[in-house]
Amino acid sequence: MSLTSADFSAIWLTLKLASLTTVILLLVGTPLALWLSRTQSWLRGPVGAIVALPLVLPPTVIGFYLLLALGPHGFVGQLTQSLGLGTLTFSFAGLVIGSVLYSMPFVVQPLQNAFSAIGTRPLEVAATLRAGPWDSFFSVILPLARPGFITAAILGFAHTVGEFGVVLMIGGNIPDKTRVVSVQIYDHVEAMEYAQAHWLAGVMLVFSFAVLLALYSRRSTKTGWS
């Protein structure tokens, strides 16, 4: 017995969701992490706490409130309906929104740590050379924070792949539309199709191990461990 067409469809949808979520998180998370690493505002604490909420909140809690917000009676749902877009619940777009919010700390925190490690000295030197904000970012911050970007991208992608509670609450279980790998495994187990569940869970296990191995091997090389 091997993977079915439904399994491959779930894998493709999961990879598509994780890739798009990672790109969005890097675009949104970079300025947010940079601000958190530099600001002295009193808002730093509350904003940092909000970003980190998915680390401690059960996924079903996040999914429940997103379901209310994106539904027909929620403020986001009413806005999208007024724009003629319908509601975002039980759609791929809804999965993307939920995944971005749920995986945000796994991207923002590594970036924030990388930006904080740079310090102010390199930027001060760039300023003396008349480098503007954009020049400083692309010529100084981006190269120095590259390891942080790689770590953030890997963690954000891997965490999105492993989602279950949030995607199930927002997207439900619609084949070829919202049924991702984690939900497909749940379906196999619920139907007592343990052999199929083993195949798909094994793929996820190998993928997760490979991601973590790449991440920790990189850290070991960087720190000079043997």
Side-chain angles (χ1 to χ4, degrees):
M1 186 171 290
S2 59
L3 298 178
T4 66
S5 59
D7 294 334
F8 282 112
S9 177
I11 291 173
W12 164 247
L13 186 65
T14 302
L15 294 177
K16 178 181 175 183
L17 174 64
S19 299
L20 184 57
T21 298
T22 302
V23 171
I24 293 174
L25 278 172
L26 288 175
L27 293 174
V28 175
T30 297
L32 178 57
L34 188 59
W35 179 81
L36 286 171
S37 68
R38 304 294 180 194
T39 185
Q40 299 298 322
S41 171
W42 65 270
L43 289 172
R44 178 181 179 180
V47 172
I50 291 174
V51 169
L53 268 178
L55 295 175
V56 296
L57 272 181
T60 48
V61 173
I62 300 174
F64 172 68
Y65 283 114
L66 282 175
L67 183 65
L68 294 181
L70 301 178
H73 303 296
F75 66 96
V76 177
Q78 291 179 351
L79 176 61
T80 55
Q81 288 181 98
S82 66
L83 295 175
L85 302 176
T87 58
L88 298 178
T89 51
F90 307 109
S91 69
F92 182 77
L95 290 186
V96 172
I97 293 175
S99 298
V100 166
L101 294 176
Y102 185 52
S103 295
M104 185 168 290
F106 293 87
V107 172
V108 172
Q109 291 188 351
L111 290 178
Q112 182 181 347
N113 292 335
F115 293 149
S116 297
I118 294 174
T120 59
R121 181 60 179 170
L123 298 178
E124 292 172 352
V125 173
T128 61
L129 298 175
R130 299 183 179 179
W134 287 107
D135 290 332
S136 297
F137 177 78
F138 286 106
S139 300
V140 180
I141 296 177
L142 197 58
L144 292 177
R146 183 186 175 196
F149 276 96
I150 295 175
T151 300
I154 292 175
L155 290 179
F157 186 91
H159 190 254
T160 303
V161 168
E163 289 179 29
F164 177 72
V166 172
V167 295
L168 186 62
M169 292 287 286
I170 300 176
N173 189 1
I174 306 174
D176 302 322
K177 189 175 181 182
T178 63
R179 183 185 291 171
V180 294
V181 169
S182 56
V183 177
Q184 181 74 357
I185 294 174
Y186 176 80
D187 284 348
H188 284 317
V189 173
E190 194 174 43
M192 300 186 71
E193 298 170 350
Y194 294 140
Q196 289 299 130
H198 271 305
W199 272 95
L200 202 51
V203 170
M204 292 294 294
L205 179 61
V206 172
F207 169 80
S208 300
F209 178 78
V211 167
L212 292 176
L213 180 62
L215 182 61
Y216 282 98
S217 296
R218 180 179 179 81
R219 288 181 176 177
S220 298
T221 303
K222 181 181 177 182
T223 54
W225 294 348
S226 58

